[in-house]
Amino acid sequence: MGKIVISENVSLDGVVQDPVGTEGFRFAGWFDRLAGEDREAWAAVEYEEALGTEALLLGRRTYEWFLAQGWATRDGAWADRLRAVPKHVVSSTPGDLEWNSTVLKGDLVDAVSRLKQEVAGDVVLYGSGRVAHALIEHDLVDELRLMVCPFALGEGERLFGRTGAVKPLRLVGNRTVGTGIVRLTYRPVRHV
């Protein structure tokens, strides 16, 4: 059975909106402020995560961003790994997908529940804020890996939007990445 993992870059105040500057958000591109040692350390941790990933789960816009940023044609071990990993795309827009990808069909909750049964290992969700909210709301997330960047934005869409109930989490790991990033790993506490 698979494990659904949400892996996100978040600002210190929890914002996930437009980290690379493609959506027109007032603080668009905030993630690009990382440079030097922090950026290199971040990339090393992300590559390590990719090596342990059995499948990617992506919303349509995040999938298109991955393609637009050249991951499908980029050189190097990290890009090779991302190309090799099967990608499952949440989309209501019919169309052809590239890059070892399929569209999840039907109801999101049912489709992700089936995917969880079919994949043995980590199914990692990158970006895809609306999908992340839905998975959190329906208690389908097994682990959250948050790369907390040293920026407070004060506004913007956050990873945790409105929920129908309290979502208790337990910290199971923390790690300093570079000189300014902290990676926090949480797991839901299921029967509180």
Side-chain angles (χ1 to χ4, degrees), residues 70-153:
W71 282 107
T73 58
R74 197 177 285 186
D75 292 328
W78 188 9
D80 291 343
R81 178 63 186 154
L82 289 178
R83 273 193 294 280
V85 173
K87 284 155 276 314
H88 302 274
V89 181
V90 177
S91 177
S92 59
T93 308
D96 294 332
L97 298 179
E98 307 168 39
W99 202 37
N100 193 20
S101 305
T102 58
V103 172
L104 282 181
K105 303 229 187 271
D107 176 75
L108 175 65
V109 172
D110 293 338
V112 171
S113 295
R114 280 192 307 276
L115 183 62
K116 205 170 168 176
Q117 296 300 315
E118 295 167 3
V119 175
D122 290 356
V123 177
V124 177
L125 175 78
Y126 291 134
S128 312
R130 284 181 257 171
V131 176
H133 287 167
L135 298 180
I136 291 167
E137 181 63 21
H138 292 282
D139 297 320
L140 288 172
V141 177
D142 298 297
E143 190 167 282
L144 289 141
R145 298 176 188 156
L146 307 177
M147 285 284 213
V148 182
C149 300
F151 315 116
L153 303 178

